[in-house]
Amino acid sequence: MLDPKSAPNVEFLTETAAARELEYLSREIAHHDAAYHTQDAPEIPDAGYDALRRRNSAIEARFPGLIRADSPSNRIGGAPENGFSKRRHRVPMLSLDNAFDATEFDEFCARAKRFLGRTEPLGLVAEPKIDGLSINLTYEHGRFTYGATRGDGTEGEDVTANLRTMKSVPGKLHGEAPALIEIRGEVFMTKADFLALNQSQADAGAKIFANPRNAAAGSLRQLDVRITAGRPLSLFAYAQGESSEPVAETHWEYLQRLRNWGFDVNPLSRQLRSETGAEAFQNEIGLARSGLGYDIDGVVYKIDDLALQRRLGFAGRTPRWATAWKFPAEQATTVLREIRIQVGRTGALTPVAELEPINVGGVLVARATLHNEDEIARKDIRGGDTVVLQRAGDVIPQIVSVVLEQRPENSTPYTFPDTCPACGSHAVRPPGEVVKRCTGGLICSAQVVERLIHFVSRTAFDIDGLGEKTIQEFYDEGWLHSPADLFKLPGREAEIATRKGWKEVSARNLSRAINARRTISLERFIYALGIRRIGESNAKLLARHYGSFANWRTQMRAAQQIGSEERSELGSISGIGSTIAEELTDFFDEPRNVTTLDETAAQLTIQDAARAESANSPVAGKTVVFTGTLETLTRPEAKARAESLGAKVTDSVSKKTDIVVVGTDAGSKARKAAELGVRTMTEAEWRELVG
Ligand code: IVH
């Protein structure tokens, strides 16, 4: 990703480079908008997102001729998703411009004054900018009739039923109310509620939210309103949309009316007589920030006089009468004790920084993710380093940089391990990928439960009565270390029958289900091993090609040798490319995988690959290559037909090839066949041969 901080100065951009970058930024920002607004799963911190938008605006300001039709400056938020019906806002819900320092804030005030042609101080209202999601509530004759999320600013999702579950959304406004009014505010979750929710989500094995904002959004946008009802959501009201009659003359007065109607209004909001008071307020809230019960990311300053607001109106997607003065991301420095490697359930090795615990913006942080090997190398992060941590709305902070002046003298660059810390198997990183993975899937304690669940799943061994919970239970008991142990469970039948939740009958049924699967087809067996990229169809290809377990095993062992005939044969099986071949050789490269494979196979009868139709076919067992353009068959059809007759179809011609079927415009393969003296035939001859 482009890092706007290190990107070339906008002043030095050529027009071509600017156009290219605007295109990139449009795509990138749209992607992050969707991740944030539609999937509630942001991939970058808010500060990074803001930087992208600022870069985009800066380039557009210098090259107005290059502003794109799909410019992010003309877009807000994410479009509504399926599931909720859509609800149009009577007055669009727009967004706010940002200021990042006093100079930018002063520019905002100067612009507004210029626009109004006035020199007197601006009366303002300052409100903490809550990091939640904005919501539009419609009240008709004082009754709450419907409510919607912001969505794309024009229409959002109708979440009326969900909003009705919230205590802070009054069903009826107290006192006098206009015939129709749209009231806007921010739905959020307090830090304490967020932590408690994540704890109970973790206990239930459910989704963990990255930050309070995502938790609030995820909780509000539940199709099952009972789930929302159980979630601790809060609301601060702060703005108005459509109104059938004026309800106030100043924004401050409007906030009073909101309070009287029964809404919560942020108690830290303040009326400022002049813009000169803003900086002090900004500092005051900045200091209070980490101690607040909820996340804020800045202060919103609004011109108090509503008549002036109307005169100022909007420029594009933002009002001229308000700005959000953002805080810098919360940062702190601490010492990184060590880099530890976590092994995920799929074998991915993830580096984690163990830190001297430190308070960053009100959250005690003892750990930070380092993402992957390249990230550590790029930032040259080492054990013992003093590092700058940043928390921008997220609970899991990022390491921004290393304080090099404080690096210990004896420090050495970090080397990412080549073996799995959980099981000692070797770890590999396929070319072009960023993640290093443990190859000991079947025996690695971090992965074994996941692998066993796959092993017994319906499309693999299909063992009835062995669900996720039971596997975890038997694993915790120490009975299951590898798939071979599954077949030892019938030997524990009596013991199982006495366990909580089990009876003699259920234990007997489990033994039966396991024993019934001691005979298994080769393709299911290969698939059950859970080797990366070997799904059902690749397992089938391998089974058909190698025929028997013994042959497959021998060939795979031999294929370890780069340049061996077995290796090139594997890579040339139609449908199996070099990437898949490498996953297989990585698996067989780990001796403990082979031991486990053999132990498991010893418990089973593995049937040779099905060749029912093929027994007396003239091409059974033959290795066939199709080359050139076929006239009456598509390539996949030809291949499928050949395989169903027991032939092996490969992509390249070798001594082992029996038949080359030559279509039109055939090239080197036909020549090679002639050179090697391999039998060739036309498409018509092939059709005749196979009927
Ligand atoms: S006023 C025309 N006031 O910030 C814009 N917004 O970037 C009216 N926000 O979408 C918005 N606290 O989600 C306003 N006190 C506050 C706010 C606030 C948080 C959010 C809101 C809005 C976004 C704008």
Side-chain angles (χ1 to χ4, degrees), residues 94-96 127-130 134 150 186 238 300 302 319:
L94 300 174
S95 162
L96 290 172
E127 300 161 5
K129 184 171 187 297
I130 311 291
S134 50
R150 178 167 77 164
E186 199 83 353
Y238 54 60
V300 183
K302 302 175 180 173

Side-chain angles (χ1 to χ4, degrees), residues 593-613:
N593 281 341
V594 181
T595 312
T596 308
L597 182 76
D598 290 344
E599 280 170 10
T600 312
Q603 311 259 357
L604 304 168
T605 306
I606 303 172
Q607 294 168 316
D608 289 353
R611 286 189 173 153
E613 201 193 336

Side-chain angles (χ1 to χ4, degrees), residues 441-453:
L442 293 180
I443 39 125
C444 178
S445 59
Q447 301 171 70
V448 74
V449 169
E450 194 78 359
R451 294 304 180 104
L452 291 174
I453 291 168

